[in-house]
Amino acid sequence: MTEKAKLVNDALEEAVPLQEPLKIHEAMRYSLLAGGKRVRPILCLASCELVGGMEACVMAMASAVEIVHTMSLIHDDLPCMDNDDLRRGKPTNHKVYGDDTAVLAGDALLSLAFEHLATRTAGVRPNRVVQAISELASAVGSLGLVAGQIVDLSSEGKQDVDLNKLEYIHVHKTAKLLEAAVVGGAVLGGGNSGEVERVRKYARSIGLLFQVVDDILDVTKSSEELGKTTGKDLLSDKATYPKLMGLERAKEFAG
Amino acid sequence: MTEKAKLVNDALEEAVPLQEPLKIHEAMRYSLLAGGKRVRPILCLASCELVGGMEACVMAMASAVEIVHTMSLIHDDLPCMDNDDLRRGKPTNHKVYGDDTAVLAGDALLSLAFEHLATRTAGVRPNRVVQAISELASAVGSLGLVAGQIVDLSSEGKQDVDLNKLEYIHVHKTAKLLEAAVVGGAVLGGGNSGEVERVRKYARSIGLLFQVVDDILDVTKSSEELGKTTGKDLLSDKATYPKLMGLERAKEFAG
């Protein structure tokens, strides 16, 4: 684990202390502290560094994007959604705590992300905090993560999923949150508007690539290596890049 | 419907335009625009007026608290939670759109509430916007709405629910969001810290009363009058004030 990932893990550990009501905080910590590569927070920290900002100004955003990412995994894994049993090498949240608690753990994490941004950014100018909150919120909502998931669900088992639709799904399920992480890092780090727009452009270019790599891993690695039920996207007739382009072309695309 | 409720309805209608992906926006609008007394937003507007603030400064908060309230109803009604079929005289969200869409509609509404506060408060000083966001987030999270719901779920069917626990549930499921509405109204309305603390105290005193009245309505009114499945709290062995105190004493308590 990198130095930065360790910093992020410490911040996340501190973000959700174990307190009453115990069950909800246990469930939140279970998924939030289950490992993960912490790609989004690390990109957020890097973006802050790029514009010459201080880590202390941006750690709340780094934590918030990982908290939102975790929330989306918990809800996506629910039986009424993708119905996954395994995530990061462990049983999914609802398998351990029940569907009701898993729904609530996601809700609590989502509001925690915004609370964190509002309360743990002392020293940052409030207009920058408001902008970061706006970036994060639009990445999650009905034109962000949720849009990607609803189109993804509606395309399962259908034959008419083309590359355009697949790109729509991945832009919304993956790229938008990456963009918020990177843009939020630059905003809280004190970047000027030119710098912020430059990192936004950069984030857009890496966002899609990230998902192609992830889709390829899903086909080529075993469940044990990845810690989640692999090959499942193919089994459940979900649209993936390898399925649509063929594995070899997808690997080339990911280049 | 009062003049204020109409203003709130117009703001909510505008907050969720019907756009692609259609299904998620239809689901969000279905529950958000289903009527409701708009008690929380009206209190929010009143609180702003009390400190001499302008309506335009606070409408985003008034909308946000109703959006959060709606989200909590959608998720609480899910089969894995309270399993309700009827709400405000209409089939519940998941009955119409499916459990998956209902989960996502709640998620999208929750993030919309914060986006709204961050983007529709031009003219308000950003430090006040950040404070309002913090109030709202803490009212929803694992020490707010979610805490109330998880303790509520864990107490169903149990014999050891006493008045203390019931008060805990209602303070968290109802009073905290009312408090955020009223405090947020005063904060965005430009109230000084003394005024904000005074309305907070006022909000706390009315929060509990509100729930006692609601519990009594659940026992004494018919489903048709209320537009939700009444008597259900008693049937499902949920702790309510009338059950614990007896209907007559609860009525007295509600004054």
Side-chain angles (χ1 to χ4, degrees):
Chain A
M1 190 169 51
T2 68
E3 185 66 25
K4 295 282 181 202
K6 206 179 157 326
L7 275 175
V8 171
N9 282 341
D10 290 347
L12 292 173
E13 163 82 39
E14 198 224 341
V16 189
L18 193 57
Q19 58 188 315
E20 294 286 348
L22 285 180
K23 192 176 183 188
I24 190 70
H25 292 100
E26 278 169 6
M28 292 163 77
R29 288 170 60 89
Y30 176 80
S31 293
L32 189 61
L33 309 176
K37 301 178 292 289
R38 313 305 191 196
V39 176
R40 291 155 191 82
I42 289 170
L43 285 173
C44 178
L45 295 175
S47 173
C48 172
E49 220 175 287
L50 200 70
V51 300
M54 273 162 30
E55 210 163 74
C57 296
V58 84
M59 196 48 98
M61 184 78 191
S63 303
V65 291
E66 190 69 8
I67 289 169
V68 164
H69 175 57
T70 303
M71 163 266 161
S72 78
L73 299 181
I74 295 174
H75 281 187
D76 284 2
D77 286 341
L78 285 169
C80 68
M81 303 267 237
D82 296 346
N83 194 19
D84 266 308
D85 294 346
L86 205 59
R87 168 74 69 183
R88 290 175 179 169
K90 295 161 69 177
T92 43
N93 199 287
H94 63 92
K95 280 279 164 189
V96 180
Y97 298 98
D99 297 2
D100 49 358
T101 301
V103 171
L104 290 171
D107 294 349
L109 285 169
L110 186 49
S111 67
L112 177 66
F114 295 105
E115 188 174 2
H116 222 65
L117 273 172
T119 59
R120 307 288 185 100
T121 41
V124 181
R125 282 168 57 179
N127 61 323
R128 290 184 178 271
V129 175
V130 171
Q131 195 185 339
I133 288 170
S134 158
E135 292 285 342
L136 184 65
S138 73
V140 184
S142 61
L143 300 176
L145 269 175
V146 168
Q149 180 66 2
I150 200 119
V151 172
D152 196 7
L153 285 168
S154 75
S155 72
E156 246 174 277
K158 285 204 182 145
Q159 298 306 315
D160 66 342
V161 182
D162 57 19
L163 264 176
N164 281 343
K165 198 167 206 177
L166 185 60
E167 185 171 326
Y168 179 94
I169 293 170
H170 291 328
V171 162
H172 289 79
K173 282 187 76 164
T174 305
K176 290 219 168 204
L177 189 56
L178 274 177
E179 185 180 322
V182 170
V183 170
V187 167
L188 294 181
N192 62 39
S193 60
E195 289 170 327
V196 168
E197 287 320 303
R198 231 166 320 152
V199 299
R200 189 190 298 280
K201 232 171 122 178
Y202 170 72
R204 286 190 179 160
S205 69
I206 61 167
L208 196 60
L209 185 66
F210 185 75
Q211 186 64 49
V212 179
V213 171
D214 207 48
D215 276 1
I216 293 175
L217 282 177
D218 187 70
V219 178
T220 57
K221 296 255 172 132
S222 71
S223 292
E224 207 180 333
E225 281 172 282
L226 278 179
K228 62 180 180 181
T229 322
T230 59
K232 192 162 173 305
D233 288 346
L234 284 175
L235 283 177
S236 70
D237 239 359
K238 263 200 157 177
T240 65
Y241 283 106
K243 201 175 111 191
L244 281 176
M245 304 172 75
L247 186 55
E248 288 313 311
R249 270 192 62 214
K251 273 184 178 168
E252 259 172 57
F253 185 55
Chain B
M1 191 168 52
T2 68
E3 184 66 24
K4 296 282 182 203
K6 205 176 159 329
L7 276 175
V8 170
N9 283 342
D10 290 348
L12 292 173
E13 164 82 39
E14 198 225 340
V16 189
L18 193 57
Q19 58 187 317
E20 294 284 348
L22 285 181
K23 192 177 183 187
I24 190 70
H25 292 100
E26 278 169 7
M28 292 163 76
R29 288 170 60 89
Y30 176 80
S31 294
L32 190 61
L33 308 177
K37 300 177 293 290
R38 313 305 190 197
V39 176
R40 291 154 192 81
I42 289 170
L43 285 173
C44 179
L45 294 174
S47 172
C48 171
E49 220 174 288
L50 198 70
V51 301
M54 271 160 35
E55 209 163 74
C57 296
V58 83
M59 197 49 99
M61 184 79 192
S63 303
V65 292
E66 191 68 8
I67 289 169
V68 163
H69 175 57
T70 303
M71 164 264 160
S72 78
L73 298 181
I74 295 175
H75 281 188
D76 284 3
D77 285 340
L78 285 168
C80 67
M81 303 267 237
D82 296 346
N83 195 19
D84 266 309
D85 294 347
L86 205 58
R87 166 76 66 186
R88 289 176 179 168
K90 295 162 68 179
T92 44
N93 199 288
H94 63 91
K95 279 278 164 189
V96 180
Y97 297 98
D99 296 2
D100 49 358
T101 300
V103 171
L104 290 170
D107 294 350
L109 286 169
L110 185 49
S111 66
L112 176 67
F114 295 106
E115 189 175 1
H116 223 64
L117 273 172
T119 60
R120 307 289 184 100
T121 40
V124 181
R125 282 168 60 180
N127 61 323
R128 289 184 179 269
V129 175
V130 171
Q131 195 186 338
I133 288 170
S134 158
E135 292 286 342
L136 183 64
S138 73
V140 184
S142 60
L143 301 177
L145 268 176
V146 168
Q149 179 67 0
I150 199 120
V151 171
D152 196 8
L153 285 167
S154 75
S155 73
E156 243 174 279
K158 284 201 182 149
Q159 298 307 317
D160 66 342
V161 182
D162 56 19
L163 264 176
N164 280 343
K165 198 168 207 176
L166 184 62
E167 185 171 329
Y168 179 95
I169 293 170
H170 292 329
V171 162
H172 289 79
K173 282 187 75 163
T174 305
K176 290 217 170 206
L177 189 58
L178 275 178
E179 183 179 324
V182 170
V183 170
V187 167
L188 295 181
N192 64 39
S193 58
E195 289 169 327
V196 169
E197 287 321 302
R198 230 164 323 150
V199 299
R200 189 191 298 281
K201 234 171 122 179
Y202 169 72
R204 285 190 181 158
S205 70
I206 60 166
L208 196 59
L209 185 64
F210 185 74
Q211 186 63 51
V212 179
V213 172
D214 207 47
D215 277 2
I216 293 175
L217 282 178
D218 187 70
V219 179
T220 56
K221 296 254 171 137
S222 71
S223 292
E224 207 179 334
E225 281 172 284
L226 277 177
K228 61 180 183 182
T229 323
T230 57
K232 191 161 178 301
D233 290 347
L234 283 175
L235 282 177
S236 70
D237 239 0
K238 265 200 156 175
T240 64
Y241 284 104
K243 201 175 114 194
L244 282 176
M245 302 172 77
L247 185 56
E248 287 312 311
R249 269 191 63 213
K251 275 184 178 170
E252 259 173 58
F253 184 54

